[in-house]
């Protein structure tokens, strides 16, 4: 870990004005500190944002919920409003990390966690995401955990979050403040695919700070499921995860949301797949078709090609579970 | 003896110290002015260091030293001093010896600073230029370079090739197991205290304080100037059997700076020394149509380093566990550009018996015989490898009682015949076996004026319960309450003890403790007979009892003397004994056995596996402490489940480097992976194995578990996966929806 300066502002504008070259905001620190210890991140300045007034969960005028960026993952998952109206989000959060990490990790920070690609984490080996232009050993190396959708020549890493998969499915909106003022970013536009700039995980501009996540009114509380498949029952990142949410009326699907985790550089959604379900009976044939559409263009590498078939089965299972009704 | 603590499920005597933080581990001994070292490791797998620029690191305020092969203190220049008690054939690795890089992760520099954070940061500033050479790290790609392992395998018996060709049933099977790392909770660490006279007192994480002492004495030419202490060890599982490089580096820095230095490895560095080697194993099984064995061949190919041959007992079990007239065993090694493997819990047996017991399961299906019945019909009454009878062998009872406890009779034999919704249910079983060793060992027993018994030996407690069981043995021998006995270990100045490994500590050190206490009994009797008007005049040891803190005359229990009074009259008494394994052992084979029963639930479409139930029935002679012994078996079962489903250190062969080097990506089971585990110890009386009749339980708990899980998965799914770990992708192929 390199030497750095440290500041703990109490106002949002103060935090943003402190942000300079090689600065990093820090909240729970559950990922950033690890990365600093491994010399993957070498900030000159840490701006501790835990003194900012961003830790509340409030209902919005249009029936949604606004979640402060500093609300801990644990507080969010166990919040009565979330449990009741957005059980998909609560379940996704509880499928990730460990109780200790969820107690520390912030909502905003969860969006910004970096990939768990082995090569990214080991600063003695090449990695285009860590050091652009050095190469991607994962392509011909250990790629069992890696992407089957949206990968590029430069990078085949996946985004590790569970919470973000649910937020993507729920059409969350990210509230951001920065040197240029405030803006709102649709969740699907927040993270990005690696392309030729794998070092950029998301569309935040330099110095921008996540202040809140807003959920729209539709929570799909009746028919949702989060299915996570991994190498052990807890404390492992997803090989494939599925957030499935359905609005069903008389056995017929009126609206559908499906997001995949563990398969791409961002939570993966496909409008055509979701549209294909509308007006269909909530039964396996429709689920199968949606899965095929969602996985169109998927391609694997030496060790992860199995994820395509695994994802297909997981999508069908998650949709079937959602159709049966949200599990208690 | 009344109320003997031996055989009681007592709490650990060191438990309160551990849970209150008073038990200090190697990196927790403070000293004013202590310096901290951080290791820099090689990023290439093979080649040479051509340039080191430490100037930026040295310029950081608070950095005391950047130690490399160019400026280290003098060390021995030949192999012998580096050959510790657990070394294999070859040239042991010498840390910071020269510019050669032998494996990725090799230590190449130590940065020493006022605090750990500074040392780590400065380490990132050390610039090292390498001249890389082509490396080889893939066992399967290098099978053409295999050579015979230098081990004494039992001679072939009968004619296995002929018997295989004539057998009603013949199976030719290949199994593979991956590299696994020990990953004890406590990382390896050494705190070297530099004493005024230049002697060193070192707290080290080790399973052998005297092994480390002799090693350092030899390497640095410091005969009689080094004391190693290791009172507590936070797990080791074999990783502490050899002195590890942080000990050498910390010692070098202390000698160079004439200061006290601590070096603790970080988790990632726990993947830069020994490990369980990857193996490829080929078995051929020949049997008659009823499943009676006619022939077994077992060939194992393991990886080793380019500089040492690591060998373990991997195939011998196949010639020993079942009655079979025609057996041929073979064991080969492939040298690779990696560090030397290292004994890891049940070394050899964990992987060799895995392959054998899966093959036996495959035979059971081929012959249409219940897996337990198959093993009973091939039961060996003698160890045919040695052609000796067993000193005791209650394996039959393990099968019977384990099956009963598990409910095995309710099993439906066909694969895929038991299910619950999306879940296929599978029941599988396997046998476990391990040697019941005894090594030479010494112990000292002393009783002083306070009436306390102090017993000591330079052994270790790696979480196994050594403190507790030795206290029990000593308290039992002298009829004292546990509180009046203090057992000391983990100090190289104590009586000689072997490495704490191989499940031999109770057998070896425990026997020495008992003998030392027996010697003390005699001295107490001699002393009491010197007391005026002693009622014990003319009595021999067999005429007296030691109970409730007193010596009593068996013939007249009214005649009792408190031990404290004898000591008050005679002064402090002390006995030190050194014992060898008993000659009676020569005419017998000695082993522990187990039968493991496993239930799995497999999601048919998604391939996920849950081990919902495990029963482990153990035959290990007399159990000194059912609680600590039970802990060991539960730990072994958990590890076996991890071996079956989770554990694998993944090597990037292009880079020649282990890449999942942390506990997030190197998977071991978490609580959510573990169902009910039921351990039972069957009665096994043994007067040969040692005077305690106790065989040791450190290894046996893991042996057979991975096979039982794999066999249960086959029973559930009808799919035979012959490579560990059995991850969901391996079950997904051609699984139905």
């Amino acid at each position: 870990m390199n030497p750095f300066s440290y500041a703990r502002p109490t106002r949002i504008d103060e935090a943003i004005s402190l942000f300079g070259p090689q600065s990093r905001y820090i909240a729970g620190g559950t990922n950033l500190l690890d990365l600093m210890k491994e010399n993957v991140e070498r900030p000159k300045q840490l701006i501790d944002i835990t003194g900012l007034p961003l830790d509340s969960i409030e209902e919005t005028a249009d029936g949604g919920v606004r979640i402060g960026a500093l609300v801990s993952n644990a507080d969010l998952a166990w919040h009565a409003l979330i449990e009741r109206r957005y059980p998909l989000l609560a379940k996704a959060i509880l499928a990730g990390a460990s109780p200790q990490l969820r107690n520390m990790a912030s909502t905003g920070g969860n969006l910004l966690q970096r990939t768990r690609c082995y090569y990214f984490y080991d600063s003695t080996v090449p990695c285009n995401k860590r050091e652009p232009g050095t190469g991607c050993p994962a392509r011909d190396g250990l790629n069992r955990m890696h992407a089957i959708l949206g990968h590029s020549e430069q990078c085949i890493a996946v985004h590790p979050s569970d919470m973000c998969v649910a937020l993507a499915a729920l059409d969350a909106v990210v509230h951001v403040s920065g040197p240029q003022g405030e803006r709102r970013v649709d969740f699907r536009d927040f993270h990005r695919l690696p392309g030729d700039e794998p070092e950029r995980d998301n569309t935040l501009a330099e110095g921008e700070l996540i202040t809140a996540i807003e959920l729209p009114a539709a929570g799909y509380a009746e028919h949702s499921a989060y299915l996570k498949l991994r190498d052990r029952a807890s404390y492992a990142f997803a090989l494939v995860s599925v957030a499935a949410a359905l609005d069903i009326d008389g056995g017929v699907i009126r609206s559908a949301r499906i997001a995949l985790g563990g398969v791409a550089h961002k939570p993966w959604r496909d409008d055509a797949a979701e549209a294909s379900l509308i007006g269909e009976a909530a039964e396996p044939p429709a689920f199968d078709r949606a899965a095929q559409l969602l996985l169109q263009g998927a391609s694997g590498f030496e060790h992860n090609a199995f994820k395509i078939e695994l994802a297909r089965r997981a999508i069908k299972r998650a949709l079937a579970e959602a159709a049966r009704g949200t599990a208690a | 003896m009344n109320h003997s603590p031996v055989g009681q499920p007592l709490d650990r005597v060191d438990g309160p110290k551990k849970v209150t933080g008073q038990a200090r581990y190697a990196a927790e001994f403070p000293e004013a002015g202590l310096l901290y070292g951080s290791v820099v490791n090689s990023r290439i797998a093979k080649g040479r260091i051509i340039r080191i620029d430490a100037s930026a690191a040295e310029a950081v305020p608070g950095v005391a030293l950047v130690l490399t092969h160019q400026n280290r203190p003098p060390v021995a220049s030949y192999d012998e001093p580096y050959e510790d008690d657990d070394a294999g054939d070859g040239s042991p690795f010498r840390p910071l010896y020269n510019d050669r890089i032998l494996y990725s992760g090799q230590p190449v520099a130590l940065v020493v600073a006022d605090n750990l954070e500074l040392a780590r940061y400065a380490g990132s500033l050390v610039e090292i230029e390498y001249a890389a050479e082509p490396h080889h790290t893939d066992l399967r790609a290098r099978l053409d370079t295999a050579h015979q392992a230098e081990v004494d395998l039992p001679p072939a018996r009968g004619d296995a090739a002929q018997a295989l060709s004539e057998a009603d049933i013949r199976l030719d099977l290949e199994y593979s197991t991956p590299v696994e790392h020990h990953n004890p909770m406590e990382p390896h660490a050494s705190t070297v205290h530099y004493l005024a006279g230049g002697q060193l007192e070192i707290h080290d994480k080790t399973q052998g304080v005297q092994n480390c002492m002799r090693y350092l004495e030899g390497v640095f030419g410091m005969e009689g100037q080094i004391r190693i202490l290791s009172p507590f060890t936070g797990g080791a599982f074999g990783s502490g059997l050899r002195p590890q490089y942080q000990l050498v580096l910390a010692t070098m820095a202390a000698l160079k700076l004439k200061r006290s230095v601590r070096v603790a490895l970080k988790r990632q560095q726990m993947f830069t020394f020994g490990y369980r080697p990857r193996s490829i194993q080929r078995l051929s099984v020949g049997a008659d149509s009823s499943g009676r064995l006619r022939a077994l061949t077992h060939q194992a190919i393991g990886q080793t380093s380019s500089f040492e041959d690591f060998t373990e007992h991997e195939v011998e079990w196949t010639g020993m566990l079942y009655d079979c007239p025609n057996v041929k065993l073979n064991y080969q090694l492939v040298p690779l550009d990696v560090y030397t493997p290292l004994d890891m819990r049940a070394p050899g047996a964990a992987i060799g018996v895995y392959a054998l017991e899966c093959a036996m399961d495959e035979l059971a299906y081929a012959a249409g015989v219940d897996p337990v019945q198959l093993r009973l019909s091939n039961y060996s009454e003698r160890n045919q490898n040695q052609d000796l009878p067993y000193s005791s062998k209650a394996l039959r009872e393990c099968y019977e009682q384990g099956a009963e406890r598990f409910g095995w009779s309710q099993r439906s034999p066909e694969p895929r015949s038991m299910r619950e919704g999306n879940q296929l249910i599978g029941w599988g079983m396997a046998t476990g076996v391990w040697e019941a060793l005894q090594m030479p060992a010494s112990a000292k027993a002393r009783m002083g004026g306070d009436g306390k018994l102090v017993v000591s030996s330079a052994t270790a407690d790696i979480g196994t319960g050594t403190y507790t069981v030795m206290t029990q043995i000593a308290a039992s021998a002298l009829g004292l309450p546990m509180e009046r006995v203090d057992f000391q270990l983990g100090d190289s100045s104590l009586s000689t003890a072997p490495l704490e490994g191989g499940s031999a500590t109770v057998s070896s050190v425990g026997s020495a403790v008992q003998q030392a206490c027996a010697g003390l009994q005699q001295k107490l009797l001699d002393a009491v007979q010197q007391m005026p008007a002693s009622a014990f005049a003319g009595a021999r040891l067999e005429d007296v009892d030691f109970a409730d803190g007193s010596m009593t005359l068996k013939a007249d229990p009214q005649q009792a003397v408190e031990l404290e009074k004898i000591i008050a009259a005679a002064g402090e008494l002390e006995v030190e004994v050194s014992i060898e394994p008993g000659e009676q052992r020569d005419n017998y084979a000695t082993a522990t056995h187990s039968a493991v029963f496993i239930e799995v639930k497999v999601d048919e479409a998604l391939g996920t596996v849950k081990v919902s139930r495990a029963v482990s029935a153990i035959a290990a002679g007399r159990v000194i402490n059912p609680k600590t012994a039970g802990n060991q078996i539960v730990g072994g079962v958990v590890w076996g489940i991890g071996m079956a489903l989770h554990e694998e250190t993944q090597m990037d062969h292009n880079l020649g480097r282990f890449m999942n080097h942390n506990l997030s990506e190197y998977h071991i089971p978490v609580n959510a992976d573990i169902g009910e585990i039921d351990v039972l110890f069957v009665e096994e009386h043994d007067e040969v194995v040692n005077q305690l009749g106790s065989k040791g339980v450190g290894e046996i708990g893991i042996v057979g578990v991975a096979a039982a899980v794999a066999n249960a998965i086959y029973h559930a799914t009808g799919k035979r996966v012959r490579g560990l770990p059995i991850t969901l992708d391996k079950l997904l192929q051609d699984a139905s929806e």
Side-chain angles (χ1 to χ4, degrees):
Chain A
M1 191 181 284
N2 58 299
F4 55 86
S5 65
Y6 172 86
R8 191 169 185 271
T10 53
R11 296 194 325 270
I12 294 168
D13 60 343
E14 191 188 354
I16 291 166
S17 68
L18 281 168
F19 200 96
Q22 295 181 61
S23 292
R24 286 284 182 276
Y25 296 119
I26 183 167
T30 53
N31 192 203
L32 183 57
L33 284 178
D34 280 352
L35 292 166
M36 288 171 67
K37 285 194 229 171
E38 292 307 310
N39 292 309
V40 176
E41 292 273 4
R42 279 169 275 195
K44 287 256 162 58
Q45 179 184 223
L46 285 188
I47 302 166
D48 182 344
I49 57 168
T50 55
L52 305 185
L54 298 173
D55 56 356
S56 63
I57 298 176
E58 292 159 4
E59 292 190 75
T60 58
D62 58 2
V65 171
R66 183 186 161 106
I67 303 154
L70 289 174
V71 172
S72 77
N73 289 183
D75 284 346
L76 181 57
W78 298 110
H79 194 278
L81 207 54
I82 302 300
E83 283 188 307
R84 192 174 71 248
R85 289 182 43 201
Y86 305 94
L88 178 63
L89 177 58
K91 287 193 163 64
I93 293 170
L94 295 177
S98 65
Q100 296 88 336
L101 287 166
R102 294 193 297 263
N103 285 341
M104 284 301 292
S106 68
T107 299
N110 192 309
L111 271 60
L112 300 179
Q113 58 182 308
R114 316 271 338 245
T115 183
R116 297 289 165 157
C117 173
Y118 303 163
Y119 301 93
F120 176 72
Y121 252 77
D122 185 336
S123 54
T124 69
V125 306
C127 170
N128 285 329
K129 182 181 274 298
R130 180 166 30 77
E131 287 179 70
T134 54
C136 175
R139 287 189 75 86
D140 299 313
L142 300 169
N143 47 38
R144 186 166 172 275
M145 297 297 293
H146 290 71
I148 53 171
L149 286 161
H151 45 71
S152 72
E153 278 297 314
Q154 301 288 317
C155 182
I156 64 171
V158 298
H159 195 264
S161 172
D162 288 295
M163 185 178 92
C164 290
V165 182
L167 290 176
L170 291 169
D171 279 330
V173 173
V174 185
H175 291 245
V176 168
S177 288
Q180 311 301 322
E182 298 183 2
R183 63 190 184 104
R184 297 158 54 95
V185 187
D186 287 344
F187 207 84
R188 64 171 65 204
D189 299 325
F190 184 82
H191 294 104
R192 57 184 297 283
L193 294 178
D196 291 333
E197 291 180 291
E199 68 276 18
R200 289 182 58 213
D201 291 350
N202 55 59
T203 55
L204 281 182
E206 181 86 351
E208 279 190 321
L209 175 70
I210 298 171
T211 54
I213 310 291
E214 191 174 323
L215 296 173
Y220 297 88
E222 302 295 313
H223 291 286
S224 68
Y226 189 73
L227 177 63
K228 181 177 182 180
L229 299 170
R230 47 183 152 180
D231 281 323
R232 61 180 167 193
S234 179
Y235 197 55
F237 294 96
L239 292 164
V240 168
S241 72
V242 185
L246 297 173
D247 185 0
I248 299 174
D249 187 12
V252 174
I253 299 168
R254 290 200 307 196
S255 158
R257 298 279 184 272
I258 319 169
L260 301 181
V263 297
H265 201 256
K266 62 184 287 189
W268 192 262
R269 279 185 64 180
D270 185 287
D271 290 338
E274 292 171 11
S276 79
L277 288 166
I278 295 172
E280 299 291 326
E283 299 291 344
F287 303 155
D288 203 18
R289 215 159 37 244
Q292 300 290 2
L293 285 168
L294 197 49
L295 293 166
Q296 228 164 36
S299 66
F301 298 85
E302 184 182 354
H303 304 292
N304 76 341
F306 75 92
K307 279 189 176 188
I308 301 171
E309 176 62 16
L310 182 66
R312 194 178 68 80
R313 295 182 188 191
I315 294 163
K316 291 171 63 179
R317 175 73 64 83
L319 284 169
E321 285 180 7
R324 256 203 314 279
T326 305
Chain B
M1 264 173 271
N2 300 325
H3 314 299
S4 165
V6 167
Q8 302 297 319
L10 300 181
D11 290 347
R12 286 162 193 264
V13 297
D14 50 334
K17 278 188 185 163
K18 285 185 171 170
V19 298
T20 57
Q22 295 174 73
R24 284 188 195 272
Y25 294 82
E28 298 180 332
F29 287 86
E31 184 180 311
L34 184 68
L35 295 171
Y36 296 78
S38 178
V39 181
V40 178
N41 304 80
S42 169
R43 60 180 171 80
I44 67 163
K46 188 179 183 185
R48 278 189 314 115
I49 298 172
I50 52 177
R51 189 181 63 90
I52 298 178
D53 182 356
S55 56
E58 286 165 343
V60 174
V63 170
L65 172 69
V66 178
L67 189 72
T68 69
H69 69 277
Q70 295 167 338
N71 65 347
R72 58 158 171 76
V75 290
S77 58
Y78 44 100
D79 285 338
E80 203 183 327
Y82 288 92
E83 285 167 0
D84 68 276
D85 292 352
D86 196 31
D89 292 342
S91 297
F93 175 65
R94 306 172 188 183
L96 298 190
Y97 187 71
N98 59 21
D99 61 352
R100 299 299 308 181
I101 300 299
L102 303 174
Y103 69 100
S104 183
Q106 175 179 325
V108 291
L110 180 77
V111 180
V112 184
D114 290 342
N115 60 58
L116 176 62
E117 291 74 16
L118 268 179
R120 257 178 102 155
Y121 167 59
S124 75
L125 302 177
V126 178
E127 281 182 36
I128 300 176
E129 199 180 319
Y130 300 93
E133 297 165 18
H135 61 259
H136 300 284
T137 53
D138 186 352
L139 174 67
R140 202 172 276 283
R142 296 290 285 178
L143 291 178
D144 58 336
T145 67
H147 64 80
Q148 287 301 318
E150 292 289 321
V151 289
D152 292 324
L153 291 180
R157 58 178 185 261
D159 185 341
Q162 179 72 22
L164 278 170
S165 70
E166 293 167 358
D168 297 337
I169 299 171
R170 177 183 176 147
L171 304 172
D172 296 296
L173 306 163
E174 182 178 300
Y175 300 91
S176 64
T177 63
V179 168
E180 299 168 358
H181 278 78
H182 305 72
N183 274 309
M185 188 63 90
E186 179 203 15
H188 280 248
S190 306
T191 304
V192 179
H193 299 282
Y194 191 88
L195 306 183
Q199 296 96 335
L200 304 178
E201 193 173 278
I202 302 174
H203 284 98
D204 187 45
K205 178 200 178 81
T206 178
Q207 291 169 259
V209 283
Q210 291 168 331
N211 185 31
C212 289
M213 179 191 73
R214 283 189 295 272
Y215 174 88
L216 288 185
E217 284 180 347
V219 168
F220 293 100
M222 292 183 67
E223 215 76 14
Q225 297 176 73
I226 291 174
R227 181 180 179 193
I228 309 277
L229 299 163
S230 186
F232 294 98
T233 306
F237 315 113
S239 68
L241 288 173
R242 302 189 69 177
Q244 298 304 352
Y245 67 74
Q246 91 288 340
L247 175 62
V248 179
L249 267 53
T251 303
M252 283 179 175
L255 291 174
K256 175 112 181 159
L257 294 166
K258 297 187 170 27
R259 297 270 303 269
S260 295
V261 176
R262 168 181 303 159
V263 177
L265 299 185
K266 54 180 186 167
R267 181 58 61 185
Q268 288 84 344
Q269 290 166 333
M270 294 298 289
F271 292 81
T272 59
F273 55 96
Y275 53 88
R276 197 193 295 284
R278 183 179 173 191
S279 79
I280 294 170
Q281 301 180 58
R282 295 168 185 148
L283 280 97
S284 292
V285 182
D288 68 19
S289 58
S290 71
R292 272 290 287 130
L293 286 168
R294 296 298 305 152
L296 280 168
T297 68
H298 189 167
Q299 178 195 32
I301 308 166
Q303 72 179 64
T304 190
S305 66
S306 62
F307 45 94
E308 273 180 310
D309 273 2
F310 169 83
T311 58
E312 54 186 358
H313 296 299
E314 205 167 313
V315 295
E316 288 88 333
W317 317 103
T318 297
M320 167 182 177
L321 195 49
Y322 298 107
D323 183 54
C324 183
N326 302 289
V327 173
K328 190 164 191 291
L329 308 174
N330 187 19
Y331 182 26
Q332 298 183 320
L333 296 176
V334 172
L336 298 171
D337 297 309
V338 294
Y339 194 74
T340 311
L342 177 58
D343 291 325
M344 179 161 135
R345 204 167 195 178
I351 54 182
V353 175
Y354 151 70
L356 171 64
E357 285 299 289
C358 286
M360 289 298 284
D361 198 63
E362 301 207 32
L363 175 61
Y365 286 96
V369 177
D370 174 83
V372 176
Q373 281 310 315
L374 181 86
R375 285 161 174 86
L376 287 170
S377 70
N378 287 293
Y379 199 82
S380 72
E381 301 292 350
R382 295 169 71 81
N383 179 349
Q384 291 174 292
N385 283 348
Q386 300 168 285
D387 195 26
L388 289 173
Y390 285 100
S391 62
S392 62
K393 181 178 173 180
L395 175 58
R396 196 174 269 116
E397 289 77 4
C398 291
Y399 291 134
E400 289 164 0
Q401 294 176 35
E404 169 71 24
R405 184 75 65 93
F406 187 82
W408 186 259
S409 63
Q410 303 302 306
R411 179 175 182 266
S412 119
E414 284 303 305
R416 301 180 64 84
S417 60
M418 294 162 67
R419 70 164 64 226
E420 253 175 40
N422 292 326
Q423 309 282 310
L424 294 164
I425 313 282
W427 288 5
M429 60 82 56
T431 315
V433 58
W434 184 252
E435 303 161 280
L437 302 167
Q438 186 181 10
M439 317 285 205
S442 309
K444 188 185 282 183
R446 185 180 80 237
M447 189 172 273
D450 57 0
K452 269 212 151 193
L453 173 64
V454 178
V455 186
S456 57
S457 179
T459 184
D461 188 334
I462 58 172
T464 45
T466 310
Y467 277 115
T468 310
V469 296
M470 297 303 162
T471 304
Q472 286 174 269
I473 292 166
S476 177
L478 286 164
L480 292 170
M482 292 283 284
E483 311 77 67
R484 272 180 63 184
V485 181
D486 183 19
F487 185 75
Q488 299 173 343
L489 53 69
D491 179 344
S492 61
S493 69
L494 298 175
S495 305
T496 307
L499 286 172
E500 200 270 7
S503 298
T505 300
V506 166
S507 179
S508 312
V509 179
S511 296
V513 165
Q514 193 187 46
Q515 285 302 296
C517 290
L520 197 60
Q521 288 177 336
Q522 184 63 53
K523 284 207 169 183
L524 285 160
L525 180 59
D526 294 346
V528 85
Q529 288 169 344
Q530 300 300 314
M531 290 167 77
S534 175
F536 293 80
R540 292 170 304 169
L541 258 191
E542 51 267 40
D543 302 325
V544 302
D545 268 339
F546 290 84
D548 302 325
S550 296
M551 188 193 304
T552 56
L553 212 48
K554 282 180 184 166
D556 180 6
Q558 298 302 312
Q559 296 298 335
V561 188
E562 288 175 18
L563 302 186
E564 280 167 281
K565 291 197 174 139
I566 305 175
I567 296 294
E572 178 177 293
L573 297 176
E574 180 178 290
V575 176
E576 183 169 15
V577 300
S578 294
I579 64 159
E580 299 283 328
E583 285 173 10
Q584 79 282 359
R585 288 174 54 96
D586 297 347
N587 302 319
Y588 293 90
T590 56
T592 53
H593 291 90
S594 69
V596 187
F597 297 83
I598 294 283
E599 177 183 85
V600 296
K601 296 184 177 177
V602 184
D603 188 294
E604 191 175 6
L606 304 175
T608 50
V609 178
K610 162 91 184 181
V611 176
S612 43
R613 276 196 308 135
V615 171
S616 177
I618 304 285
R622 183 187 189 194
V623 176
I624 306 290
N625 184 329
K627 187 170 185 177
T628 54
N631 288 166
Q632 293 236 55
I633 302 303
V634 168
V637 171
V638 171
W639 201 335
I641 292 170
M643 179 179 164
L645 301 179
H646 306 122
E647 287 200 51
E648 177 178 17
T649 317
Q650 297 168 27
M651 170 74 81
D652 180 311
H653 296 299
N654 298 323
L655 299 168
R657 185 173 176 88
F658 292 127
M659 289 307 302
N660 59 333
H661 42 51
N662 62 66
L663 289 180
S664 176
E665 268 71 41
Y666 181 93
H667 291 154
I668 58 170
V670 295
N671 277 315
D673 291 299
I674 301 301
E676 195 184 312
I677 299 176
D678 200 349
V679 176
L680 60 103
F681 293 98
V682 305
E683 284 285 327
E684 192 179 64
H685 186 71
D686 194 321
E687 293 186 356
V688 171
V689 65
N690 54 50
Q691 283 153 331
L692 294 163
S694 180
K695 291 178 174 175
V697 291
E699 332 288 326
I700 188 65
I702 187 177
V703 186
V705 178
V709 173
N711 296 341
I713 289 173
Y714 175 76
H715 182 238
T717 64
K719 184 166 177 63
R720 187 68 74 174
V721 179
R722 299 192 182 90
L724 298 182
I726 304 175
T727 47
L728 62 83
D729 45 312
K730 296 178 186 172
L731 290 170
L732 202 61
Q733 300 155 17
D734 63 59
S736 69
E737 293 180 59

